[in-house]
Amino acid sequence: MMRYRQAKYAIGQIVEHRHLGYHGVVIDVDYAYALDPQTFVEVNASLLEQGLPALDPDQPFYMLLTSETEDQLYVSEANLEEVMDDEAIQHEDLDLYFMGRQSGHYLPKHAFH
């Protein structure tokens, strides 16, 4: 039986990418890598070429909205850290997921189980 790690970050929490420095807000969590396996291989090859550590697929991965791109980004837990500032994320899809902000967290529109 596969055991998943507990997610460190919650929906609505603001995080920072350890290596790239951008801030994002968590909109979804996968408890292990859940996208295309070929993409995972390509991303790991690119990371190694840049001198960065390869990703472990058996860790939580987070879907983020950031101010830096209109896309949603899929980032491993190992590449994220908590942010304690209250800087707002600017993204056109924020209103789809959140009803506002309070104490540095975004408030989800829907309950998550």
Side-chain angles (χ1 to χ4, degrees):
M1 179 169 125
M2 180 182 251
R3 294 188 58 130
Y4 293 111
R5 298 180 192 171
Q6 183 174 353
K8 185 175 181 179
Y9 306 110
I11 304 293
Q13 188 168 359
I14 299 172
V15 293
E16 179 177 6
H17 194 285
R18 289 181 191 272
H19 304 290
L20 303 177
Y22 61 77
H23 291 183
V25 59
V26 176
I27 62 168
D28 197 11
V29 181
D30 291 328
Y31 293 94
Y33 185 82
L35 298 182
D36 177 52
Q38 183 59 37
T39 300
F40 186 82
V41 170
E42 292 168 4
V43 167
N44 264 341
S46 175
L47 290 172
L48 292 172
E49 286 175 10
Q50 297 173 54
L52 297 171
L55 300 175
D56 173 4
D58 297 323
Q59 65 176 313
F61 280 74
Y62 299 84
M63 191 67 70
L64 307 177
L65 298 180
T66 73
S67 298
E68 284 77 9
T69 179
E70 293 179 8
D71 297 327
Q72 296 178 2
L73 302 179
Y74 197 62
V75 183
S76 69
E77 186 170 273
N79 284 320
L80 296 174
E81 52 192 22
E82 186 173 6
V83 173
M84 300 307 277
D85 69 31
D86 199 27
E87 179 182 332
I89 302 298
Q90 304 298 321
H91 193 283
E92 65 183 21
D93 291 343
L94 275 175
D95 291 340
L96 296 175
Y97 298 96
F98 304 106
M99 59 183 162
R101 270 186 332 138
Q102 183 177 18
S103 302
H105 278 73
Y106 284 83
L107 305 171
K109 281 190 171 181
H110 307 286
F112 294 92
H113 305 280

